[in-house]
Amino acid sequence: MKLIIATRNAHKLEEIRAIFDFQGLEVLSAFDFPELPDVEEDRDTFEGNAIKKAVEIARATRCWALADDSGLEVDALGGAPGVYSARYAGEPCSYEANNEKLLRELSGKEDRSARFRTVVALSDPGGSTQTVEGECCGVIIKELRGTNGFGYDPLFIPDGYSETFAELDAETKNRISHRARALRKAYAAWSDLLVGL
Ligand code: ITT
């Protein structure tokens, strides 16, 4: 049985493959199914969007599917950009424009606290789902630093560190990130089930 990682974000896919040990499973991603339409992410929670992505890909491919919906919640902005993180500055999605908008919205604000959140959903071919989640708290700095990672990484310093996610190496980010925390829970909960597929 194949497992499809229901993402078209290449950075995310690379992190998921680095963090999660898919031992013995044939793993494909949404990139292997170019004919499938993009899933419209119209739910108002990470959980709702993660479930929708996993279920639509699982039903369309008749395989098991794993999806990640994630984003950045900034306290001084009432939790924005949240589920709108990918298209915060509008479409087409641009990490550069999103980061510029975030800096603009936070200019003059004292409270820079924020957290990344990820919900990972697993769907069987019929659309039955399970979810786990992870978060990583930190602060938003005032200028971009670093070139690793993607998205808001150059602006986010995780608690306990002095470098941004974009300055830390991939191994460190993949040990402490929201995605790492969610996928560790996913592995604990689902590895027996996945190995048996
Ligand atoms: P898929 O839906 O195809 O998986 P996406 O990029 O649209 O890809 P999301 O809807 O989950 O994924 O949006 C997540 C956005 O949140 C992403 O585009 C980044 O802007 C941001 N983000 C998520 N995880 C991040 C991380 O680890 N580091 C930096 N930014 C991140």
Side-chain angles (χ1 to χ4, degrees), residues 6-10 12-13 15-16 30-31 38-39 41 46 49 53 67-72 81-88 93-95 98-99 116-119 149-154 156 165 173 177-179:
T7 183
R8 285 206 168 97
N9 179 322
K12 216 194 237 188
L13 180 62
E15 291 189 2
I16 293 171
F31 290 112
D38 274 337
V39 178
E41 296 180 37
F46 296 116
N49 282 323
K53 286 191 265 192
D68 158 318
D69 198 65
S70 45
L72 179 70
V83 290
Y84 304 107
S85 291
R87 53 203 142 105
Y88 187 40
C93 300
S94 151
Y95 293 150
N98 288 342
N99 283 326
F116 273 118
R117 290 188 54 212
T118 294
V119 173
F150 68 101
Y152 299 95
D153 282 347
F156 182 83
F165 264 164
K173 182 185 174 192
S177 76
H178 46 304
R179 186 160 294 107

Side-chain angles (χ1 to χ4, degrees), residues 162-174:
S162 50
E163 300 95 345
T164 66
F165 264 164
E167 292 174 313
L168 292 168
D169 56 32
E171 201 185 314
T172 307
K173 182 185 174 192
N174 288 339

Side-chain angles (χ1 to χ4, degrees), residues 124-144:
D124 74 11
S128 292
T129 57
Q130 306 177 56
T131 60
V132 290
E133 54 183 284
E135 66 173 36
C136 180
C137 296
V139 293
I140 304 298
I141 55 169
K142 295 186 175 163
E143 73 288 305
L144 299 156

